[in-house]
Amino acid sequence: MIVIDAGHGGPKFPGAHYRGIYEKDLNLKVALKLGALIERELPEVKVVYTRKSDKQFSESLTRDLQARADIANKAEGDLFLSIHTNAAPSSAARGVETLIMGESPLEQRINDEVLFANNKEEFIDMSDQRTAAIVRAYISNLRFTYGEYSEAMARLLEKNYKRAGRSVRKTKPQLLKVLYATNMPGVLTEIGFMSNPDELRYMCSDKGQNEIARSLFDAVREYVEFVRGMQLVEECDDATTQAPSEAKRTVSEPAPQADESAAAKSGYTIQILASAERLKSNDRQFKSYRNKVTELRSAGRYRYKYCVGRYRTQAEARQALAEVKKSFADAYVVRYEGDAVAR
């Protein structure tokens, strides 16, 4: 399932505007065209829109962004794609750009200036030390959860933008609230500069919108293939390693203990740690959760995921998350199927 977010919307949050044209309208037109392509050419992929008309979700931008993330999380999406249009003081600025959740050393230095820019409400305020610590722990843990998938989608967007002849700017990490709040891989893509007359003309044309939507669609299609390939590798790895692993674990590695609801074949759990190698369930890294963790698998280098609790709904897992975060500040709610983390 893909969640398509047409950035901005409504009378209070129109986004950038030039020559009587509003960003919110361009974002929506491309979002609807992308959704139509997916529904027609990838019918097995469900499409959820955060909006299909000119609307806002709150008088507060922070709450508006959270509402978009809530739609994505409630839908249990597998990918969040937010579509925006760029602008700059100079009309010479041009090109497409994709943003992922993260913070670079440069952004750490200029964060205070960013917060006081026009779009300061879209960024996470890192001036509070506790907030900064939690967010940076979240970013650090992304490499164990959704980070590699978000980065893969960003690379595919770059590839397909280039294939269409667009000028492509390098993918950048940004402290964006909407990406921080979504519990799934996510990217925000800027489809061009409204402040550049040539790009504005292109984005306003039906031809330009169709080409942009096609580039986005091609990236989504290749992303679906990428995820399926990762799942296939994981299944093959499990088939070749499961028997000897189980034998070894009975001797020196006690099986991780699940709670009473562990018999459920799918649901939600809280991930507290990821490791490239299998850990004993009584490892001291698990702190107060020693002998209470469940081991799940996923693709990638850090394929062993250690989790606590099993829940039927995401809401139940989120309620329990606050208590777990007292010991593991970077803990997350993840969806599982069988003994694997679901993507």
Side-chain angles (χ1 to χ4, degrees):
M1 178 192 298
I2 179 171
V3 181
I4 301 176
D5 173 46
H8 301 282
K12 190 165 183 179
F13 308 120
H17 53 91
Y18 286 81
R19 301 180 183 179
I21 299 165
Y22 291 92
E23 176 185 355
K24 62 178 183 179
D25 298 325
L26 292 178
N27 297 342
L28 181 60
K29 288 178 179 178
V30 172
L32 294 176
K33 287 176 181 289
L34 169 61
L37 283 172
I38 295 172
E39 289 166 347
R40 184 172 69 247
E41 300 185 29
L42 281 177
E44 71 276 16
V45 176
K46 183 178 179 181
V47 177
V48 172
Y49 302 88
T50 58
R51 68 181 182 98
K52 297 181 75 174
S53 62
D54 182 17
K55 64 181 293 187
Q56 65 193 55
F57 298 94
S58 171
E59 291 297 309
S60 159
L61 180 56
T62 295
R63 287 196 291 271
D64 181 89
L65 294 171
Q66 183 61 54
R68 295 166 188 269
D70 289 343
I71 291 171
N73 293 334
K74 183 177 180 181
E76 301 179 9
D78 299 297
L79 176 67
F80 181 79
L81 175 57
S82 188
I83 299 171
H84 284 251
T85 311
N86 224 331
S90 170
S91 62
R94 61 193 293 264
V96 292
E97 185 174 49
T98 299
L99 310 177
I100 57 176
M101 180 61 194
E103 182 184 31
S104 72
L106 174 62
E107 287 161 339
Q108 290 175 17
R109 293 196 298 272
I110 68 170
N111 189 64
D112 289 341
E113 286 97 330
V114 170
L115 289 171
F116 289 98
N118 289 334
N119 294 324
K120 64 181 181 180
E121 283 190 86
E122 296 186 25
F123 294 87
I124 300 170
D125 185 348
M126 300 286 276
S127 61
D128 176 73
Q129 289 186 352
R130 185 173 183 278
T131 298
I134 292 172
V135 172
R136 286 177 179 137
Y138 169 92
I139 293 170
S140 177
N141 201 50
L142 278 177
R143 69 182 185 274
F144 305 136
T145 53
Y146 307 128
E148 63 182 307
Y149 288 81
S150 299
E151 291 170 6
M153 182 60 187
R155 289 193 299 270
L156 293 171
L157 285 167
E158 285 187 0
K159 169 187 171 183
N160 284 283
Y161 279 139
K162 288 178 181 176
R163 183 183 291 165
R166 302 296 304 279
S167 173
V168 179
R169 293 172 167 237
K170 187 177 180 180
T171 295
K172 293 195 305 188
Q174 288 279 10
L175 294 163
L176 293 168
K177 289 180 180 178
V178 72
L179 296 184
Y180 179 63
T182 47
N183 188 32
M184 65 199 69
V187 298
L188 185 152
T189 191
E190 304 271 9
I191 61 175
F193 280 83
M194 294 185 70
S195 48
N196 182 302
D198 292 334
E199 291 203 338
L200 179 60
R201 192 177 307 112
Y202 176 74
M203 290 186 291
C204 287
S205 70
D206 196 52
K207 176 179 180 292
Q209 291 169 13
N210 287 336
E211 289 179 353
I212 293 168
R214 175 57 67 176
S215 293
L216 297 178
F217 169 79
D218 287 343
V220 169
R221 176 177 50 77
E222 292 178 17
Y223 177 81
V224 171
E225 294 171 356
F226 165 78
V227 171
R228 287 173 177 165
M230 293 288 279
Q231 291 173 340
L232 182 60
V233 168
E234 180 181 342
E235 290 171 3
C236 291
D237 285 347
D238 287 345
T240 57
T241 62
Q242 185 175 8
S245 295
E246 290 300 318
K248 178 181 178 183
R249 192 165 63 183
T250 58
V251 175
S252 60
E253 298 183 324
Q257 301 297 308
D259 65 21
E260 293 179 358
S261 62
K265 294 182 184 292
S266 65
Y268 295 88
T269 185
I270 299 170
Q271 180 178 312
I272 61 174
L273 193 68
S275 175
E277 298 185 6
R278 175 170 268 157
L279 301 175
K280 296 181 180 180
S281 64
N282 63 352
D283 193 291
R284 66 175 57 189
Q285 293 182 72
F286 297 133
K287 303 177 185 177
S288 61
Y289 293 98
R290 292 171 69 179
N291 293 318
K292 299 177 182 178
V293 297
T294 299
E295 180 188 274
L296 299 177
R297 302 284 188 88
S298 74
R301 179 182 175 189
Y302 299 91
R303 64 193 309 264
Y304 299 102
K305 313 297 189 184
Y306 294 94
C307 307
V308 294
R310 296 287 181 108
Y311 307 93
R312 290 181 297 105
T313 68
Q314 191 176 58
E316 290 175 354
R318 284 184 176 277
Q319 281 187 328
L321 181 61
E323 181 64 28
V324 178
K325 278 183 172 288
K326 292 178 182 178
S327 299
F328 293 90
D330 54 350
Y332 296 94
V333 172
V334 297
R335 186 161 57 90
Y336 70 88
E337 293 179 2
D339 63 352
V341 172
R343 295 292 183 183

